Amino acid sequence: MSKLVQGYEVVIGFETHAQLSTKSKIFSRASVAFGAEPNTQACAVDMALPGTLPVMNMGAVERAIEFGLAINAHIAERSIFARKNYFYPDLPKGYQISQFEIPVVQGGEVSFFLEVGKETVRKTVRLERAHLEEDAGKSLHEDFIGQSGIDLNRAGTPLLEIVTQPDMRSSEEAVAYAKELHKIVTWIGICDGNMQEGSFRCDANVSVRKPGGELGTRREIKNLNSFKFMQQAIDYEVRWQIDQIEDGIAIQQATVLFDPDTGETRAMRTKEDAADYRYFPDPDLPPLVIGRDWVERVKGEMAELPRVMAERFVRDYALPEYDATQLTQSKAVAAYFEATAKACGQAKLASNWIMGEVSRRLNASEMSIEQAPVSAAQLATLIGRISDNTISNNAARQVFEGLWNKEGEVDAIIEAKGLKQMNDTGELEKIIDDVLAAHPKNVEEFKAGNAKALNGLVGPIMKASKGKANPAQVNALLMKKLG
Ligand code: ADP
Ligand code: MG
C-alpha cells in the first residue's frame, strides 16, 4: 500500500556501500584500519605504481557469500571484475575495479516490519544484486595549508555494493529497509556498521509519479550517513520534486548531496550513464570462481540469522511478532532475552521488561546492552518476585533502580527498601476497616451505585499500606466488605 504525497507516489531504490570487515585490502596486503596518518596504509598496488597487479582477497569474497546466503540470493559460480573508468584525483589508476555484468550476489530479498498507524505490516524489498568493488582514496581539503591533498589509505578498501529494486514507497520504508540491512550485515559480522566512519553508506534514488504511471526520473542522494538524515533528505527531495513538476519543470536525472545544516538537497553533478564509464572486463583479474563446496561450508558455519531467530522466538516463547523483531535487533539483546526468559520461565514478562525498563535506562545513559549493570540472571530473579507476589509491579521498578545502581541483589534490595507486598490479610483488613470508617461518604455513594466512589477508597488504602498492599487483594477485600 502506497502512501501518497500530494497525490504523488514516491519510488525509492537504494544503493548501499558496506565496507567489508577484512584486515587487508581487496586487492593488496595493505591494512584497512581506520584513522591512520594519511598515506601510511597505501602500498604500491593502492597507489597504482606501474607493474603492480591486483590479487583477490578471498576473505572479502567469503563475506560476500555470507551476505548472499543471509538474504536468500543466488551466489554466482563465476563472476567477473570490470574496470569502471573515470578521472578523479583520488583514483590513481584512472579506473575503479568493480563488478558490472556478472556480480557475485544476484537477487535476494530483505524483509522487515513497519509500524503503519497502529498496525504492524511486513514489507519485502527485492534486491537486484550485490557486487564486490574497491573504494577510492580521499581528497583532503583542510589538512594542508592552502592546498588540497590526497590520502590513499582508503584506496582499495573492500566494499560490497548492495542494490535494491525500486521497491520502497515512502521515506519510512526506506529508513526501515536501511536499518534492517544494517542489522543483517552487522549480525553476520561482515561489516562493522559504523556510519560515522563511512563503513555503511547509503545512496537513495528517489523519484515521484502519479499512481499507476511510468517510473519518474530519479535523483540520487549520495552518502547518507545517518538514519535521521536519510529520512530528512528523502522527505525534502520528494517535496522538491513535486514542486518542480507542479511548476511544469521536468526532473533532470542528477546526483545530489544532502546538507544537514539547511536540511536541503543540492545538485552535485548531472548523472553519468553506464556508457560514460566504458566498463570492460579487467584483464588483470581472472574470473571469480566459487565452488558449491565453499558455499556449503560457509552456510554450515553461519550463525542463526535475525529473522530465523525471531521466528523461533514466536514459536518457542509464544511472543508476538513485534516483540520477537525488537528482541532480535542485535545478537546481544537476543542473548540477554533468552537468558532471562529461560531463567524465569516467563518469556512475555522478560520481553516487556527488556523492551521497557531496560531499554529506557540503556537509552538514557547511551549504553549498549553489554554494558547493562543489571544481569539477565538478576532480571529473571526480579521477574520471579513479581510473579510469586512478593512485590508489586511498582515496587519492582524501585528494585530495578536499585539493581541498576548496584545497591545489591534483588532480595536484599526488597528487604532494605521495605518493598515486600503485604500478603497478611489480617493487617490489610485492619487498614481497610480504618479507611472505610474515615470515608463514610464514599462508602454511601458506592452502595448507592456509583462505582467510581471506589477509587476514593483504594487510593488511601494503598497509601496507608505504603504501597505494599496487593491491588488485586485490596479490590477483592473491598468488594467483600461492601457487599
Ligand atoms: P545506475 O546504473 O545508474 O546506478 P541502476 O539501474 O543500477 O542505475 O539503479 C540504481 C538504483 O536506482 C537501484 O537501486 C534502482 O532500484 C533505483 N532506481 C532505478 N530507477 C528508479 C526510479 N525511477 N526511481 C527511484 N529509484 C530508481
Ligand atoms: Mg548502479
Side-chain angles (χ1 to χ4, degrees):
M1 248 300 284
S2 301
K3 182 187 85 173
L4 297 188
V5 182
Q6 292 167 248
Y8 287 83
E9 184 178 46
V10 176
V11 175
I12 304 165
F14 260 58
E15 291 164 289
T16 302
H17 288 92
Q19 180 179 325
L20 298 173
S21 56
T22 53
K23 286 214 168 56
S24 55
K25 293 188 177 172
I26 186 166
F27 301 121
S28 83
R29 273 191 247 168
S31 165
V32 294
F34 182 82
E37 283 291 305
N39 298 311
T40 54
Q41 292 180 168
C43 69
V45 175
D46 308 325
M47 290 188 282
L49 296 189
T52 55
L53 286 172
V55 176
M56 187 73 228
N57 176 343
M58 289 302 164
V61 177
E62 182 146 325
R63 284 165 178 79
I65 297 174
E66 289 178 72
F67 178 73
L69 290 171
I71 56 149
N72 280 328
H74 172 66
I75 315 243
E77 282 179 65
R78 185 180 171 280
S79 62
I80 51 172
F81 287 95
R83 291 184 179 181
K84 180 179 182 178
N85 299 280
Y86 64 93
F87 175 77
Y88 207 73
D90 64 15
L91 188 74
K93 288 200 298 294
Y95 60 87
Q96 176 195 28
I97 304 178
S98 182
Q99 295 193 299
F100 184 57
E101 277 160 333
I102 312 178
V104 59
V105 173
Q106 303 170 3
E109 57 183 44
V110 170
S111 293
F112 48 88
F113 289 98
L114 201 68
E115 302 298 301
V116 179
K118 282 202 178 95
E119 268 180 274
T120 308
V121 293
R122 189 190 181 92
K123 165 89 188 173
T124 299
V125 171
R126 293 165 301 158
L127 294 194
E128 191 180 302
R129 61 191 277 157
H131 61 257
L132 286 161
E133 63 182 28
E134 59 177 344
D135 208 345
K138 225 180 195 167
S139 304
L140 303 175
H141 301 299
E142 281 141 27
D143 306 43
F144 303 100
I145 303 148
Q147 301 179 51
S148 286
I150 304 292
D151 176 9
L152 291 175
N153 282 353
R154 209 179 61 181
T157 295
L159 301 177
L160 190 66
E161 179 174 339
I162 304 158
V163 184
T164 75
Q165 305 267 1
D167 278 355
M168 289 156 275
R169 293 290 174 273
S170 67
S171 58
E172 289 81 11
E173 279 186 14
V175 172
Y177 160 77
K179 285 185 174 169
E180 185 66 26
L181 185 67
H182 185 268
K183 178 165 95 180
I184 292 170
V185 298
T186 52
W187 185 288
I188 63 177
I190 63 164
C191 169
D192 69 20
N194 190 323
M195 295 176 84
Q196 277 88 47
E197 290 177 4
S199 302
F200 187 87
R201 317 193 282 268
C202 292
D203 305 338
N205 292 270
V206 180
S207 68
V208 298
R209 66 175 172 189
K210 287 288 181 186
E214 279 182 25
L215 282 182
T217 302
R218 71 184 195 266
R219 301 213 310 166
E220 178 176 1
I221 316 171
K222 276 277 175 202
N223 280 338
L224 294 165
N225 63 0
S226 91
F227 296 120
K228 193 175 125 210
F229 293 159
M230 197 176 284
Q231 174 112 33
Q232 289 176 354
I234 296 171
D235 286 341
Y236 176 85
E237 179 63 24
V238 166
R239 283 195 307 274
W240 184 88
Q241 289 189 15
I242 293 172
D243 285 350
Q244 296 285 302
I245 295 169
E246 290 288 311
D247 287 347
I249 306 166
I251 303 295
Q252 295 262 352
Q253 189 166 325
T255 303
V256 308
L257 277 184
F258 176 67
D259 180 350
D261 294 329
T262 59
E264 294 176 0
T265 52
R266 240 193 346 248
M268 206 162 78
R269 51 184 150 96
T270 53
K271 168 94 180 157
E272 295 85 357
D273 280 324
D276 298 327
Y277 289 120
R278 297 175 294 117
Y279 279 101
F280 64 87
D282 191 321
D284 288 345
L285 284 157
L288 175 60
V289 175
I290 299 174
R292 286 302 101 179
D293 46 341
W294 189 3
V295 175
E296 286 309 314
R297 179 176 63 72
V298 173
K299 194 185 268 180
E301 289 167 3
M302 267 173 77
E304 188 179 25
L305 292 165
R307 66 184 145 76
V308 177
M309 191 181 271
E311 281 159 22
R312 180 166 63 78
F313 283 5
V314 170
R315 208 173 49 237
D316 292 358
Y317 297 106
L319 287 185
E321 204 127 42
Y322 178 81
D323 293 44
T325 307
Q326 293 294 316
L327 294 169
T328 48
Q329 286 308 313
S330 78
K331 270 188 188 152
V333 172
Y336 190 92
F337 161 74
E338 282 216 272
T340 310
K342 281 192 181 130
C344 72
Q346 314 242 22
K348 182 59 180 143
L349 278 181
S351 165
N352 292 349
W353 272 86
I354 293 166
M355 296 193 328
E357 213 70 4
V358 176
S359 48
R360 192 179 61 75
R361 288 300 310 239
L362 290 176
N363 287 341
S365 40
E366 293 186 1
M367 281 182 190
S368 70
I369 193 123
E370 290 96 330
Q371 302 165 297
V374 180
S375 70
Q378 287 175 318
L379 181 60
T381 308
L382 177 60
I383 291 169
R385 291 294 171 267
I386 305 167
S387 34
D388 70 9
N389 282 323
T390 306
I391 51 174
S392 66
N393 273 314
N394 230 337
R397 274 194 284 277
Q398 295 178 57
V399 178
F400 183 79
E401 199 68 24
L403 286 172
W404 195 273
N405 298 326
K406 296 272 175 205
E407 288 167 21
E409 290 302 320
V410 173
D411 290 327
I413 296 171
I414 294 175
E415 201 61 45
K417 297 197 182 200
L419 294 170
K420 223 178 215 143
Q421 202 153 234
M422 198 175 279
N423 286 319
D424 173 354
T425 358
E427 200 181 340
L428 183 56
E429 276 194 76
K430 178 156 185 321
I431 291 176
I432 293 179
D433 290 338
D434 291 348
V435 169
L436 290 183
H439 296 81
K441 223 172 121 216
N442 286 68
V443 174
E444 222 169 275
E445 281 175 21
F446 179 77
K447 284 188 171 157
N450 177 4
K452 276 194 188 140
L454 205 61
N455 296 339
L457 297 168
V458 174
I461 294 168
M462 292 308 290
K463 201 171 159 203
S465 78
K466 301 201 179 67
K468 291 185 218 169
N470 177 339
Q473 203 173 21
V474 169
N475 256 319
L477 282 173
L478 265 177
M479 288 313 195
K480 200 176 90 190
K481 285 181 191 295
L482 296 172

